[in-house]
Amino acid sequence: MAALKTPLIAPSLLAADFSCAADEVAAVERGGADWLHLDVMDGHFVPNLSMGPQLIKALRPRSKLAFDVHLMIAPVDPYIEAFAKAGADHIHLHVEAGPHTHRSLQHVRDHGVKPGIAICPATPPEAVSEVLDLVDMILVMTVNPGFGGQKFLTSQLAKIKTLRRMADATGRDIRIGVDGGITAQTAPLAVAAGADVLIAGTSVYGQDDYGAAIRDLRSGVHIPA
Ligand code: DX5
Ligand code: ZN
């Protein structure tokens, strides 16, 4: 394994109070978050609806956090430009979202945004092997996408390990994010398997003190310098 990096914490706005979204973003920024994760759902690729580029654009001037946008939509291509213009720093699209993810990832890069490939629990790690040269991150779903508050699937740990090996073998700097059911208990398992970005909705926004929740996540997985 390549040298371990201190994992980044990316609270997922999906679990926040949307009636005061900008305050909710500011609160995790003050609380020590590294990135903000934004979940986009289309009611087609996943059985739920969430937010579109308008909300992301409205929040962009209110925060310095990197905006980590997770597209759970199909098709993807017609919307990449809108999310790039809205202020996304990273755009993750799903390997299951269509036959031309290779081209879609290139579009993301062409818009000056860092591309990531997301992978559902039922999809084997080899499904992303031919796009690793195009991505800065692999987003491993540790729940079936569509809803917050689900239980972490320990069955995905072996896949994280395999993907860590595959990512390291490229010689490129590829982060591995884990998304779904991440808590102070499950985060250390994911990090031990090779994850270095922790997406956390309920375990941050579901707590009274967001800063304490972020510290809890971090303390379990701290890698000494
Ligand atoms: C699920 C989303 C996740 C979700 C995670 O489809 O991609 O980002 O917000 O929520 P928790 O942390 O509550 O499982
Ligand atoms: Zn997500």
Side-chain angles (χ1 to χ4, degrees):
M1 196 190 280
L4 290 173
K5 292 201 229 47
T6 300
L8 302 177
I9 312 282
S12 167
L13 193 69
L14 192 66
D17 178 350
F18 277 34
S19 73
C20 49
D23 296 339
E24 291 279 74
V25 176
V28 294
E29 190 161 3
R30 273 197 310 276
D34 297 297
W35 297 351
L36 183 75
H37 186 78
L38 297 137
D39 287 302
V40 178
M41 304 179 182
D42 67 351
H44 165 73
F45 180 70
V46 289
N48 200 3
L49 294 162
S50 57
M51 66 184 84
Q54 295 93 335
L55 179 64
I56 294 170
K57 188 175 178 192
L59 293 173
R60 181 64 286 178
R62 308 287 292 268
S63 174
K64 290 194 166 46
L65 293 174
F67 279 10
D68 187 61
V69 176
H70 177 191
L71 297 184
M72 287 163 274
I73 66 174
V76 177
D77 288 8
Y79 304 102
I80 289 172
E81 183 173 9
F83 285 102
K85 284 189 171 158
D89 295 281
H90 320 142
I91 291 179
H92 307 291
L93 52 95
H94 270 265
V95 67
E96 304 87 359
H100 303 299
T101 46
H102 191 278
R103 181 195 291 141
S104 303
L105 291 164
Q106 286 177 320
H107 284 328
V108 172
R109 183 84 69 192
D110 289 346
H111 282 93
V113 177
K114 292 184 172 179
I117 190 77
I119 179 166
C120 286
T123 306
E126 294 74 24
V128 303
S129 63
E130 302 305 316
V131 296
L132 290 183
D133 57 330
L134 298 178
V135 301
D136 290 344
M137 182 160 144
I138 306 166
L139 186 63
V140 181
M141 296 310 300
T142 42
V143 298
N144 285 291
F147 302 92
Q150 302 181 79
K151 194 168 176 294
F152 180 84
L153 295 170
T154 51
S155 60
Q156 300 305 297
L157 289 168
K159 184 156 83 185
I160 297 167
K161 276 190 198 150
T162 302
L163 286 167
R164 179 79 272 166
R165 272 199 303 275
M166 289 166 63
D168 289 350
T170 67
R172 297 180 56 246
D173 194 8
I174 300 176
R175 284 195 176 269
I176 296 189
V178 280
D179 189 7
I182 297 297
T183 64
Q185 286 70 46
T186 58
L189 306 175
V191 171
D196 55 12
V197 180
L198 301 168
I199 319 297
T202 310
S203 68
V204 173
Y205 279 114
Q207 310 304 312
D208 290 335
D209 183 339
Y210 302 163
I214 290 168
R215 280 195 297 280
D216 276 357
L217 283 171
R218 223 186 270 292
S219 61
V221 298
H222 182 68
I223 294 167

